Every structure is written in structure tokens, then in C-alpha cells.
Amino acid sequence: MSRMSQPWVSHLLLTVLLLLCRYASAVKLHKPRSEVLSLLGEQEGRLYFGNCEQSSGRSSCVFAIDESYNQEPTQCAVTSLEGKPWWMGVLETPAYITKITLLNIDQLYRSHPDALRAVTIMAGDDVCFRYESDESFVKRSFPCDTVADQIVIRSRMDSAALTLCDVTVYGAPIRFRGVVDDAGPLRVQWCQQSSVSGNGYCENAFDGDANSNHNARPCAVTIDEATPWMSARLEIPSLVTEIKIFNRADCCGDGLNQFLLTLDNRVCADYEGATFESKYFPCKFFGDRLRIKSKKNRAISVCEMQVLGYPMELPRDAKFKALGCYKDNHKDRDLGQLVSSILMSHEKCYSICKRLGLKYFGVQGGAHCWGGSTYGKHGKVDEKKCSIPCEDNERQRCGGSIFNNIFEVL
């Protein structure tokens, strides 16, 4: 039914990708299409599906991805006459998606209102195109510049049959860091929870300290309420392999006796069991949004949540190397030249400092770009000190209040 579109994917990556299923993550790349393809080192080509589903008549969904291009009803994916019918397909590998082409059923065979007259085309969480017309089309292509592993074709009509004889997706596969190595820890960008008990903020679950005594070191704790939850977003969409949860040990550990653990709404674990101090849960999906939700009306406590996997390599043309987080001083700046304080990102600061001939650059306070010929006079500090998101790219970290993320211009 399908085949791999590129040979570079390793056996290990294939093993993980074959477990991808219904929901997906997406990330916008704010660069021209030609530039992204160049940075990926790929040409635009056809991407292939691994599996599919649809709202009704589910066994026929594969006719949209069998490469037959036959427009007879028996050879197309067809739903029942229903409200807002949909079709969904999961790619064999997450990819930068450039274009989606739909082939409709031949007009001679149409016996129901055509659901494609008002349709939303999505890649992961991103809307690629909203189409609406009084007339049906036979074949049409829609632009879609995003990274995802799932395509959804969803009609907005209240009574129609969705017919798809072929869904063709174009783009280039993305790469992941270190897939030949053991999975590494993934960083969390932000978190939230349904409620907070005392000082039990969600950030406590991602501070690197697995101490399970809440009184000695605060855990993330909700109040007693109906199905409490905690969620977090990874810095970069990633192939997650497993999640380790550290429960509270000084009391109240039974709050984690029944819960759902999900990544982008895909269920990693539906746990109902004994109280545990710490436990690994396999979660072999691509995504960036974690959620743990209790199935009881009982407070939950998470002292630490460790997420392991392989982060997506975001394409970039900047050539610089991260050196770490360094302390600064208002009266004696580590990097001597403030070059910009407007909508900062790593790439923007790099570009300015490169033009100025500066060997090192640092980003600070989410917005400031500093440059210089030397660095490190006040010493290196823990990476946690550099945790403020960049104003122009919230997935990146731009230092702390008086700390720089410092880079070397290569």
C-alpha cells in the first residue's frame, strides 16, 4: 500500500515511526518554502501514508492512498451520508508538508451532496486551507507549509458524503537528533495544571529534582477536585520513547492510582493499579503536548516527570554553536556591545553579530542581543538560569534576567 519515501531513515527511527497513530503535532516554519527544502537538504517529493481512518465506512479509507487514481465509487474512500464527515491519514514519517492534492469521485457517479464543496484541510494541528464553493472539483491542490505527520480532510457540511479517490501529499521528511544513540531527556517549554495546592506549581515537576517528599522539596500538586490534570509542552516536537513519573511518597500517593497519560491526545498509558513511587510508561509517538489526567475526584501529585526521546531537528541556516548559560553583571558586561532589543531569536542575534564581525553573541531577558570578542568573565551557571523564551521564537531560550545564552559564531 505504501513505501518509505527516503532511504536515510534508520531502522530505529522506523521502529518508532510505525507506532504513530491517530493524532499529530505540527509546527510552522516561518521561512520561504524553497529555503526550508534547501535547509533540509531535500527536494520536494511525494510522501507516503502508513495508515488511515475515516468517520464511517472505515474499511474503504485505504482507497484514497492506494495510488490507483480510479474515480469509480468502489475504488474510492467513501463515507456515509452524514454530518461533517472526515478522512484522516498518518504519514510514514513526520515531514515538512508543502502541498496536498485531492482527487474527487467522477461527477457521473455522485448520488449525494459532495462534502468537498466545504472542507477544511489540516496537517497536524495547523489549518492548511479552508475551501468553499457552490461547485464540486475533480482535482485540486492546496498549499500547506508546516511540519506534521497527519493529514485530516474534514467537511463542514451538515449532510454530505465525503469521497476521496486519492490524497497525495508532497514535501520532505524531517530528521531527528541522535536516533542512532540512546534516547535523551527532552526539555519542557511551559506547563499548566487544573489547580494549585499551596506551593505545588507544575514547574516543580520539571525542575530536575526527583525528591518525592513534598515537604522537603515541593512537588506539583492540585487540590481535590473532579478529574484534576497537569499538562506540559515540549520545547520541540519530538519522537518520545518513554515517560517516567515520580509520585509523592510522604502522603497522598493514591492520587495516581487511576489516570490517563497522553501525548497530543494519544494514550500512552491508561493506568489503574497500585500506588507507585516511580514508574516508566512507554510512549512511542511524535508530538509535543503531554497531559496527565486523573480518573478520580482526588488531588494528584507529580514530583518529577522525565520525558525521553529524540527532538526534531528544526532547519536553520545560522551557523553557530551553543556554549551554555553564563552570568552577566549590570556594571561589568560579559559581552560588551548591546546590538538589539527587538523581537529576539537566536538566528536574529547571530545575523546581527556576524555582520558586525563579533565572534560571540548572547541573548538575555527574552529580548536583548549582546555581542563581543570574549566571554565568560563572570562564570558559567546551570542551564535553568537561562529559561526565558525568546520573543520572536518561543521554542528557543533567550537567557535570564541577568544571564546570557552564549553562542560562538562559526
Side-chain angles (χ1 to χ4, degrees), residues 24-42:
S25 178
V27 58
K28 283 287 188 183
L29 300 177
H30 301 288
K31 293 178 179 291
R33 179 182 299 176
S34 60
E35 184 178 347
V36 174
L37 290 169
S38 175
L39 295 172
L40 286 170
E42 303 285 348

Side-chain angles (χ1 to χ4, degrees), residues 385-397:
K385 300 288 187 181
C386 292
S387 60
I388 297 177
C390 300
E391 286 187 353
D392 197 40
N393 186 343
E394 63 178 14
R395 294 186 180 278
Q396 296 178 348
R397 290 292 177 263

Side-chain angles (χ1 to χ4, degrees), residues 2 5-6 40 54 61 104 129 132 148 153 157 176 191 219 228 230 259 264 300-302 341 380 383 390 401 405:
S2 60
S5 55
Q6 294 291 339
L40 286 170
Q54 61 189 51
C61 77
N104 200 353
F129 205 93
E132 188 159 356
I153 316 298
M157 297 180 65
F176 296 87
C191 64
C219 303
M230 296 178 190
F259 64 85
D264 285 17
I300 57 174
S301 303
V302 178
S341 294
K380 191 173 184 179
E383 288 288 336
C390 300
S401 59
N405 281 113

Side-chain angles (χ1 to χ4, degrees), residues 72 144 185 212 312 385:
E72 295 181 7
C144 187
S212 57
M312 182 182 93
K385 300 288 187 181

Side-chain angles (χ1 to χ4, degrees), residues 300-318:
I300 57 174
S301 303
V302 178
C303 293
E304 189 69 17
M305 185 180 291
Q306 298 174 351
V307 186
L308 300 178
Y310 305 97
M312 182 182 93
E313 285 189 349
L314 292 172
R316 67 185 187 190
D317 53 352

Side-chain angles (χ1 to χ4, degrees), residues 274-291:
T275 301
F276 60 87
E277 291 188 9
S278 65
K279 191 173 183 66
Y280 278 105
F281 298 93
C283 188
K284 301 183 185 301
F285 298 122
F286 173 68
D288 66 349
R289 296 184 311 281
L290 296 164
R291 186 178 179 93

Side-chain angles (χ1 to χ4, degrees), residues 2-285:
S2 60
R3 60 181 181 271
M4 287 304 299
S5 55
Q6 294 291 339
W8 57 263
V9 184
S10 70
H11 176 72
L12 174 59
L13 180 56
L14 268 171
T15 302
V16 177
L17 290 173
L18 287 173
L19 294 167
L20 294 173
C21 60
R22 180 166 180 177
Y23 298 90
S25 178
V27 58
K28 283 287 188 183
L29 300 177
H30 301 288
K31 293 178 179 291
R33 179 182 299 176
S34 60
E35 184 178 347
V36 174
L37 290 169
S38 175
L39 295 172
L40 286 170
E42 303 285 348
Q43 302 241 341
E44 182 183 58
R46 179 165 183 171
L47 302 167
Y48 295 92
F49 288 96
N51 55 59
C52 64
E53 292 183 24
Q54 61 189 51
S55 54
S56 58
R58 297 198 173 195
S59 62
S60 77
C61 77
V62 296
F63 290 119
I65 55 177
D66 63 358
E67 303 176 55
S68 71
Y69 309 106
N70 192 321
Q71 291 179 268
E72 295 181 7
T74 58
Q75 300 301 309
C76 299
V78 183
T79 71
S80 303
L81 180 66
E82 59 186 335
K84 298 179 173 59
W86 56 265
W87 180 95
M88 181 277 300
V90 177
L91 298 173
E92 289 181 331
T93 175
Y96 170 59
I97 297 164
T98 58
K99 182 174 65 176
I100 300 169
T101 299
L102 305 182
L103 180 65
N104 200 353
I105 199 168
D106 192 297
Q107 296 187 31
L108 295 173
Y109 301 112
R110 288 187 189 138
S111 58
H112 298 301
D114 182 7
L116 289 178
R117 288 193 291 112
V119 68
T120 301
I121 300 162
M122 299 185 68
D125 297 328
D126 287 332
V127 174
C128 301
F129 205 93
R130 287 186 177 90
Y131 177 82
E132 188 159 356
S133 175
D134 292 334
E135 298 182 0
S136 301
F137 62 84
V138 175
K139 184 177 182 180
R140 188 179 177 99
S141 294
F142 302 92
C144 187
D145 295 289
T146 192
V147 169
D149 65 350
Q150 174 185 275
I151 305 299
V152 178
I153 316 298
R154 187 182 301 276
S155 176
R156 301 191 300 277
M157 297 180 65
D158 292 327
S159 180
L162 181 63
T163 56
L164 291 167
C165 299
D166 187 73
V167 179
T168 307
V169 182
Y170 298 91
I174 58 172
R175 295 176 172 84
F176 296 87
R177 298 177 198 162
V179 292
V180 296
D181 303 317
D182 291 337
L186 301 172
R187 293 180 61 174
V188 166
Q189 179 182 343
W190 56 260
C191 64
Q192 60 186 41
Q193 62 199 73
S194 56
S195 62
V196 181
S197 176
N199 59 351
Y201 300 103
C202 66
E203 289 81 3
N204 298 333
F206 303 99
D207 61 1
D209 189 341
N211 190 325
S212 57
N213 187 332
H214 177 66
N215 294 317
R217 198 278 302 171
C219 303
V221 184
T222 71
I223 63 173
D224 285 327
E225 59 181 332
T227 60
W229 54 265
M230 296 178 190
S231 64
R233 185 160 192 165
L234 300 176
E235 280 192 344
I236 300 174
S238 304
L239 288 175
V240 174
T241 57
E242 60 185 4
I243 300 170
K244 186 175 184 180
I245 296 176
F246 293 81
N247 197 358
R248 185 173 174 179
D250 55 330
C251 84
C252 320
D254 60 342
L256 290 179
N257 284 357
Q258 297 179 32
F259 64 85
L260 279 174
L261 178 64
T262 60
L263 176 68
D264 285 17
N265 297 319
R266 292 171 288 185
V267 177
C268 302
D270 185 351
Y271 184 77
E272 293 190 12
T275 301
F276 60 87
E277 291 188 9
S278 65
K279 191 173 183 66
Y280 278 105
F281 298 93
C283 188
K284 301 183 185 301
F285 298 122

